[in-house]
Amino acid sequence: MKKKRLIIRTVILAVLLCAVGYTLYAQFFADKQKVSVGDKAPDFILRDVNGETHQLSDYKGKGVFLNFWGTWCKPCKQEMPAMEKQYASYKKQGVEILAVNVAETNIAVEQFAKQYELSFPILMDKDSQVLGAYGIDPLPTTFLIDKNGKIVDSFIGGLEESKIKEYMEEIKP
């Protein structure tokens, strides 16, 4: 009986060690981002906070600053006012910002948008499908998409206003 318990405990311990090992590998070594510079940006259709539908491919011919964010994210809170400021001048030059909120309620996102006086489209990725298609972790993550729908650059983390302006210049048609 003792020998049987020892074998069962050993098997359980081995399974747990394998699970921990895989988790550590996936967290620190596996490349999670599914798209990279030069790839065609995966198309998607999402609704904004006002219920209007937006499809990425509808923005062909424009530069797209595609930002994935959350209301709870401190770097997101810091970059949003800078994004709004640059959007005001670059929208006239053919650059759009699509801010994709990940898995939050409309109420939380609407309050956030009102607080920061955001005018660019805020899209709702309720079930994180677009997040998964782009392989994003962590937030915020920004993709720069040129007028032909190709990814020209990406950045993980919060952006300073000067960098946002530089990126907008880079994707301006």
Side-chain angles (χ1 to χ4, degrees), residues 10-69:
T10 304
V11 168
I12 290 172
L13 182 61
V15 169
L16 286 173
L17 286 174
C18 287
V20 168
Y22 175 76
T23 302
L24 290 172
Y25 168 78
Q27 182 69 29
F28 296 110
F29 301 107
D31 185 21
K32 293 181 178 143
Q33 198 164 316
K34 294 181 180 179
V35 295
S36 56
V37 173
D39 291 350
K40 182 170 174 30
D43 198 14
F44 59 82
I45 299 172
L46 291 174
R47 292 195 183 278
D48 65 20
V49 290
N50 301 318
E52 295 177 35
T53 301
H54 296 261
Q55 185 166 359
L56 180 62
S57 57
D58 290 343
Y59 292 90
K60 191 169 184 167
K62 295 183 174 190
V64 177
F65 186 94
L66 181 63
N67 179 265
F68 291 85
W69 66 285

Side-chain angles (χ1 to χ4, degrees), residues 94-115:
V95 177
E96 284 289 335
I97 291 179
L98 297 178
V100 179
N101 178 270
V102 181
E104 293 189 81
T105 66
N106 280 26
I107 293 170
V109 174
E110 287 168 3
Q111 288 175 345
F112 185 93
K114 187 177 179 180
Q115 177 185 353

Side-chain angles (χ1 to χ4, degrees), residues 129-146:
Q129 283 192 336
V130 178
L131 181 84
Y134 280 77
I136 294 170
D137 183 42
L139 296 179
T141 296
T142 301
F143 289 90
L144 304 176
I145 303 169
D146 70 10

